[in-house]
Each structure stands twice: as C-alpha cells, then as structure tokens.
Amino acid sequence: MLRLTADADPQRWVPVTGSLGFKGRRHRKKAIGMLLAQLNQQMGVPAGRGVTAWMFSQAAPFLLRKADGRVLVWVYRDDPELLVAMAQIQEATAQLRTARAMMPMEYDDTESFANPHLGVGERLVLPMNPTPSATYTWDTGSHFVTLTAVGPDRERFGTITGTVDELARTLRIVDELAVGESPTVLRIDPA
C-alpha cells in the first residue's frame, strides 16, 4: 500500500496526524476547525456549529489515524490559526481525472513546481479567495499526490507560502513492497 511521508520542519510545523490525547490538542483543534470551514465553504454549507461539528472534531484524529499515511495534516507552529496544511494521496481513477478536468477557470493558472521525490507538478496559489489557499499537485500516473494549505487571513497568507513550498518539496511516496514480493519490479531510489 502506498503512503505519504514528509520531513516537516518541527520548528515550523506541528503534526496533527497521529496526535491523540492532550498532546497537540490546541493545534489539532485549530487545524480541524480550519479544514471544516474550508469544506463547508466548498460545499456551500453554513459554518458548522453544534453537535455535528463537535462530533467531527472528536472523530477526526481517529479518522486520520485510520487513513494510515494516505492523509497527513500539519498546523503552523507559531500561529495555529494562521495556516493548516493537508497532504493526501488518491488513486487516479477516471472519475477523479474527469473532476480535475472540469474545475473552474481560475484553476488553469497553475505554475510548475518541482519536488525532488515526486518530479515536476503544479502549484496554484489563490490568495484572494474567501479562504486563501495554495495547492500543490503531482500526477504519478497511477496516483495523485496533493498538498493543500489554507488559512483565514488574506494579508498574512502570502507571507508564509515559502514555508509551504519547503514542506511541499519534502513530500514523498513510500511503498510497502517486500523484498522478493515481485521479481519483475526493480525499485531504484530517485535520488
């Protein structure tokens, strides 16, 4: 099974994935809140309040742990309310490719972005959205690797995109292929 890993700078990022209990609770709570707000905005749903939002915030750490490396989430250490970043790997199905092709026009303003492990992908920064975001995407042929960073503050969002670029360059895929499992596959380290 393919999983994601990254070398997030611990001086800048607090991992939300895998944090349970009181350790990282404040950072986890802010990250979940921002991700819920972005999801609600994309779906056109008013901001979640009450029991549903509380239930999701309680279940989110367990859902992230169950994702087993297919989803990684970090929050900005210095200001947890400023930025949250989420990386995910998805199988490149025909439906997902169609959905990507049908995205609105502003998603055509991508620029090339190189990652030493994943190759050249795309970067799209939308600082003037109601929720500013930066999205990095790599197409490996069989999977899409996506890193999305969101934050509520338009003025400060542009000042930290360099930090997100650094995180994006450390993303890589780890494959759990055991030695001898497939004699026809030769794995070569891209470095």
Side-chain angles (χ1 to χ4, degrees):
M1 179 177 79
L2 297 179
R3 294 181 298 114
L4 286 175
T5 187
D7 298 322
D9 182 359
Q11 300 300 317
R12 294 188 176 174
W13 298 101
V14 174
V16 175
T17 313
S19 71
L20 289 172
F22 290 112
K23 184 180 179 195
R25 182 179 183 274
R26 179 176 75 103
H27 290 90
R28 185 173 63 237
K29 185 177 177 182
K30 295 295 181 189
I32 291 168
M34 280 195 281
L35 291 172
L36 276 174
Q38 185 195 25
L39 181 65
N40 288 340
Q41 176 196 354
Q42 288 176 349
M43 296 176 63
V45 176
R49 302 263 185 249
V51 176
T52 305
W54 178 84
M55 286 175 39
F56 185 76
S57 71
Q58 298 303 306
F62 297 102
L63 295 172
L64 289 172
R65 182 171 275 190
K66 187 173 171 72
D68 192 29
R70 293 183 309 268
V71 176
L72 300 174
V73 179
W74 301 270
V75 68
Y76 198 60
R77 179 177 291 281
D78 293 338
D79 187 356
E81 295 182 358
L82 177 62
L83 184 70
V84 64
M86 181 174 75
Q88 61 183 339
I89 185 168
Q90 297 173 298
E91 187 176 346
T93 62
Q95 294 84 358
L96 186 56
R97 288 190 184 279
T98 302
R100 287 182 49 80
M102 296 173 65
M103 291 178 106
M105 191 83 129
E106 62 264 15
Y107 288 88
D108 291 339
D109 296 334
T110 61
E111 55 191 26
S112 294
F113 185 85
N115 174 310
H117 310 287
L118 300 171
V120 177
E122 299 175 337
R123 178 177 86 149
L124 176 67
V125 179
L126 299 171
M128 299 314 291
N129 272 5
T131 303
S133 66
T135 304
Y136 304 75
T137 306
W138 293 271
D139 185 349
T140 66
S142 61
H143 290 80
F144 285 115
V145 175
T146 307
L147 173 67
T148 304
V150 297
D153 191 345
R154 290 185 194 174
E155 289 80 26
R156 293 175 37 197
F157 186 80
T159 64
I160 55 171
T161 54
T163 305
V164 182
D165 287 351
E166 291 173 15
L167 177 62
R169 286 188 183 96
T170 68
L171 272 177
R172 61 190 174 278
I173 297 174
V174 178
D175 193 356
E176 295 179 358
L177 182 65
V179 176
E181 184 176 321
S182 178
T184 60
V185 175
L186 174 62
R187 299 277 176 174
I188 299 175
D189 184 7

PDB file of all heavy atoms in Angstrom, residues 19-34:
ATOM      1  N   SER A  19      -1.670  12.543  16.376  1.00  0.00           N
ATOM      2  CA  SER A  19      -1.665  13.119  17.725  1.00  0.00           C
ATOM      3  C   SER A  19      -3.010  12.838  18.375  1.00  0.00           C
ATOM      4  O   SER A  19      -4.050  13.201  17.858  1.00  0.00           O
ATOM      5  CB  SER A  19      -1.395  14.629  17.673  1.00  0.00           C
ATOM      6  OG  SER A  19      -2.482  15.317  17.138  1.00  0.00           O
ATOM      7  N   LEU A  20      -2.963  12.168  19.482  1.00  0.00           N
ATOM      8  CA  LEU A  20      -4.168  11.861  20.253  1.00  0.00           C
ATOM      9  C   LEU A  20      -3.961  12.340  21.681  1.00  0.00           C
ATOM     10  O   LEU A  20      -2.846  12.574  22.123  1.00  0.00           O
ATOM     11  CB  LEU A  20      -4.448  10.354  20.245  1.00  0.00           C
ATOM     12  CG  LEU A  20      -4.927   9.768  18.926  1.00  0.00           C
ATOM     13  CD1 LEU A  20      -4.968   8.259  19.024  1.00  0.00           C
ATOM     14  CD2 LEU A  20      -6.293  10.298  18.556  1.00  0.00           C
ATOM     15  N   GLY A  21      -5.033  12.475  22.414  1.00  0.00           N
ATOM     16  CA  GLY A  21      -4.942  12.886  23.799  1.00  0.00           C
ATOM     17  C   GLY A  21      -4.671  14.375  23.929  1.00  0.00           C
ATOM     18  O   GLY A  21      -4.998  15.167  23.064  1.00  0.00           O
ATOM     19  N   PHE A  22      -4.034  14.754  25.041  1.00  0.00           N
ATOM     20  CA  PHE A  22      -3.814  16.167  25.316  1.00  0.00           C
ATOM     21  C   PHE A  22      -2.638  16.738  24.543  1.00  0.00           C
ATOM     22  O   PHE A  22      -2.552  17.936  24.350  1.00  0.00           O
ATOM     23  CB  PHE A  22      -3.618  16.392  26.823  1.00  0.00           C
ATOM     24  CG  PHE A  22      -4.884  16.172  27.590  1.00  0.00           C
ATOM     25  CD1 PHE A  22      -5.008  15.097  28.454  1.00  0.00           C
ATOM     26  CD2 PHE A  22      -5.963  17.028  27.442  1.00  0.00           C
ATOM     27  CE1 PHE A  22      -6.172  14.889  29.158  1.00  0.00           C
ATOM     28  CE2 PHE A  22      -7.140  16.830  28.136  1.00  0.00           C
ATOM     29  CZ  PHE A  22      -7.241  15.749  28.997  1.00  0.00           C
ATOM     30  N   LYS A  23      -1.702  15.875  24.109  1.00  0.00           N
ATOM     31  CA  LYS A  23      -0.540  16.374  23.372  1.00  0.00           C
ATOM     32  C   LYS A  23      -0.996  16.899  22.006  1.00  0.00           C
ATOM     33  O   LYS A  23      -1.587  16.189  21.213  1.00  0.00           O
ATOM     34  CB  LYS A  23       0.483  15.256  23.184  1.00  0.00           C
ATOM     35  CG  LYS A  23       1.743  15.739  22.507  1.00  0.00           C
ATOM     36  CD  LYS A  23       2.727  14.631  22.337  1.00  0.00           C
ATOM     37  CE  LYS A  23       3.952  15.174  21.630  1.00  0.00           C
ATOM     38  NZ  LYS A  23       4.792  14.156  21.110  1.00  0.00           N
ATOM     39  N   GLY A  24      -0.724  18.151  21.726  1.00  0.00           N
ATOM     40  CA  GLY A  24      -1.087  18.750  20.446  1.00  0.00           C
ATOM     41  C   GLY A  24      -2.561  19.066  20.306  1.00  0.00           C
ATOM     42  O   GLY A  24      -3.031  19.351  19.211  1.00  0.00           O
ATOM     43  N   ARG A  25      -3.307  19.035  21.420  1.00  0.00           N
ATOM     44  CA  ARG A  25      -4.758  19.233  21.351  1.00  0.00           C
ATOM     45  C   ARG A  25      -5.142  20.596  20.785  1.00  0.00           C
ATOM     46  O   ARG A  25      -6.006  20.705  19.936  1.00  0.00           O
ATOM     47  CB  ARG A  25      -5.370  19.055  22.745  1.00  0.00           C
ATOM     48  CG  ARG A  25      -6.872  19.194  22.770  1.00  0.00           C
ATOM     49  CD  ARG A  25      -7.402  18.973  24.193  1.00  0.00           C
ATOM     50  NE  ARG A  25      -8.844  19.041  24.206  1.00  0.00           N
ATOM     51  CZ  ARG A  25      -9.537  20.177  24.317  1.00  0.00           C
ATOM     52  NH1 ARG A  25      -8.888  21.317  24.400  1.00  0.00           N
ATOM     53  NH2 ARG A  25     -10.843  20.160  24.327  1.00  0.00           N
ATOM     54  N   ARG A  26      -4.461  21.645  21.229  1.00  0.00           N
ATOM     55  CA  ARG A  26      -4.777  23.000  20.772  1.00  0.00           C
ATOM     56  C   ARG A  26      -4.526  23.131  19.270  1.00  0.00           C
ATOM     57  O   ARG A  26      -5.360  23.660  18.534  1.00  0.00           O
ATOM     58  CB  ARG A  26      -3.928  24.010  21.532  1.00  0.00           C
ATOM     59  CG  ARG A  26      -4.159  25.452  21.126  1.00  0.00           C
ATOM     60  CD  ARG A  26      -3.351  26.378  22.006  1.00  0.00           C
ATOM     61  NE  ARG A  26      -1.950  26.361  21.668  1.00  0.00           N
ATOM     62  CZ  ARG A  26      -1.353  27.335  20.965  1.00  0.00           C
ATOM     63  NH1 ARG A  26      -2.044  28.362  20.570  1.00  0.00           N
ATOM     64  NH2 ARG A  26      -0.073  27.267  20.705  1.00  0.00           N
ATOM     65  N   HIS A  27      -3.394  22.608  18.798  1.00  0.00           N
ATOM     66  CA  HIS A  27      -3.067  22.686  17.378  1.00  0.00           C
ATOM     67  C   HIS A  27      -4.040  21.842  16.552  1.00  0.00           C
ATOM     68  O   HIS A  27      -4.481  22.248  15.478  1.00  0.00           O
ATOM     69  CB  HIS A  27      -1.629  22.228  17.128  1.00  0.00           C
ATOM     70  CG  HIS A  27      -0.622  23.189  17.665  1.00  0.00           C
ATOM     71  ND1 HIS A  27      -0.139  23.093  18.943  1.00  0.00           N
ATOM     72  CD2 HIS A  27      -0.019  24.270  17.102  1.00  0.00           C
ATOM     73  CE1 HIS A  27       0.730  24.066  19.142  1.00  0.00           C
ATOM     74  NE2 HIS A  27       0.816  24.803  18.045  1.00  0.00           N
ATOM     75  N   ARG A  28      -4.371  20.666  17.072  1.00  0.00           N
ATOM     76  CA  ARG A  28      -5.300  19.776  16.364  1.00  0.00           C
ATOM     77  C   ARG A  28      -6.673  20.425  16.238  1.00  0.00           C
ATOM     78  O   ARG A  28      -7.302  20.383  15.178  1.00  0.00           O
ATOM     79  CB  ARG A  28      -5.399  18.447  17.127  1.00  0.00           C
ATOM     80  CG  ARG A  28      -6.238  17.404  16.445  1.00  0.00           C
ATOM     81  CD  ARG A  28      -6.149  16.072  17.166  1.00  0.00           C
ATOM     82  NE  ARG A  28      -6.665  16.140  18.518  1.00  0.00           N
ATOM     83  CZ  ARG A  28      -5.968  15.826  19.609  1.00  0.00           C
ATOM     84  NH1 ARG A  28      -4.724  15.424  19.520  1.00  0.00           N
ATOM     85  NH2 ARG A  28      -6.500  15.903  20.801  1.00  0.00           N
ATOM     86  N   LYS A  29      -7.127  21.070  17.302  1.00  0.00           N
ATOM     87  CA  LYS A  29      -8.432  21.720  17.299  1.00  0.00           C
ATOM     88  C   LYS A  29      -8.488  22.838  16.258  1.00  0.00           C
ATOM     89  O   LYS A  29      -9.463  22.962  15.510  1.00  0.00           O
ATOM     90  CB  LYS A  29      -8.719  22.268  18.698  1.00  0.00           C
ATOM     91  CG  LYS A  29     -10.083  22.853  18.878  1.00  0.00           C
ATOM     92  CD  LYS A  29     -10.267  23.284  20.323  1.00  0.00           C
ATOM     93  CE  LYS A  29     -11.601  23.940  20.524  1.00  0.00           C
ATOM     94  NZ  LYS A  29     -11.778  24.411  21.890  1.00  0.00           N
ATOM     95  N   LYS A  30      -7.437  23.647  16.161  1.00  0.00           N
ATOM     96  CA  LYS A  30      -7.394  24.729  15.168  1.00  0.00           C
ATOM     97  C   LYS A  30      -7.364  24.173  13.751  1.00  0.00           C
ATOM     98  O   LYS A  30      -8.043  24.679  12.853  1.00  0.00           O
ATOM     99  CB  LYS A  30      -6.163  25.620  15.397  1.00  0.00           C
ATOM    100  CG  LYS A  30      -6.190  26.354  16.699  1.00  0.00           C
ATOM    101  CD  LYS A  30      -7.322  27.350  16.745  1.00  0.00           C
ATOM    102  CE  LYS A  30      -7.305  28.091  18.065  1.00  0.00           C
ATOM    103  NZ  LYS A  30      -8.461  28.917  18.269  1.00  0.00           N
ATOM    104  N   ALA A  31      -6.580  23.125  13.530  1.00  0.00           N
ATOM    105  CA  ALA A  31      -6.490  22.533  12.195  1.00  0.00           C
ATOM    106  C   ALA A  31      -7.824  21.964  11.754  1.00  0.00           C
ATOM    107  O   ALA A  31      -8.273  22.195  10.620  1.00  0.00           O
ATOM    108  CB  ALA A  31      -5.421  21.432  12.184  1.00  0.00           C
ATOM    109  N   ILE A  32      -8.487  21.253  12.626  1.00  0.00           N
ATOM    110  CA  ILE A  32      -9.788  20.661  12.289  1.00  0.00           C
ATOM    111  C   ILE A  32     -10.810  21.756  12.013  1.00  0.00           C
ATOM    112  O   ILE A  32     -11.594  21.674  11.073  1.00  0.00           O
ATOM    113  CB  ILE A  32     -10.253  19.708  13.413  1.00  0.00           C
ATOM    114  CG1 ILE A  32      -9.346  18.475  13.436  1.00  0.00           C
ATOM    115  CG2 ILE A  32     -11.708  19.306  13.217  1.00  0.00           C
ATOM    116  CD1 ILE A  32      -9.509  17.606  14.653  1.00  0.00           C
ATOM    117  N   GLY A  33     -10.779  22.821  12.804  1.00  0.00           N
ATOM    118  CA  GLY A  33     -11.700  23.937  12.585  1.00  0.00           C
ATOM    119  C   GLY A  33     -11.515  24.579  11.218  1.00  0.00           C
ATOM    120  O   GLY A  33     -12.479  24.858  10.503  1.00  0.00           O
ATOM    121  N   MET A  34     -10.253  24.809  10.824  1.00  0.00           N
ATOM    122  CA  MET A  34      -9.999  25.424   9.515  1.00  0.00           C
ATOM    123  C   MET A  34     -10.382  24.493   8.377  1.00  0.00           C
ATOM    124  O   MET A  34     -10.929  24.921   7.366  1.00  0.00           O
ATOM    125  CB  MET A  34      -8.544  25.848   9.399  1.00  0.00           C
ATOM    126  CG  MET A  34      -8.263  27.159  10.099  1.00  0.00           C
ATOM    127  SD  MET A  34      -6.702  27.902   9.634  1.00  0.00           S
ATOM    128  CE  MET A  34      -5.565  26.940  10.605  1.00  0.00           C
TER     129      MET A  34
END
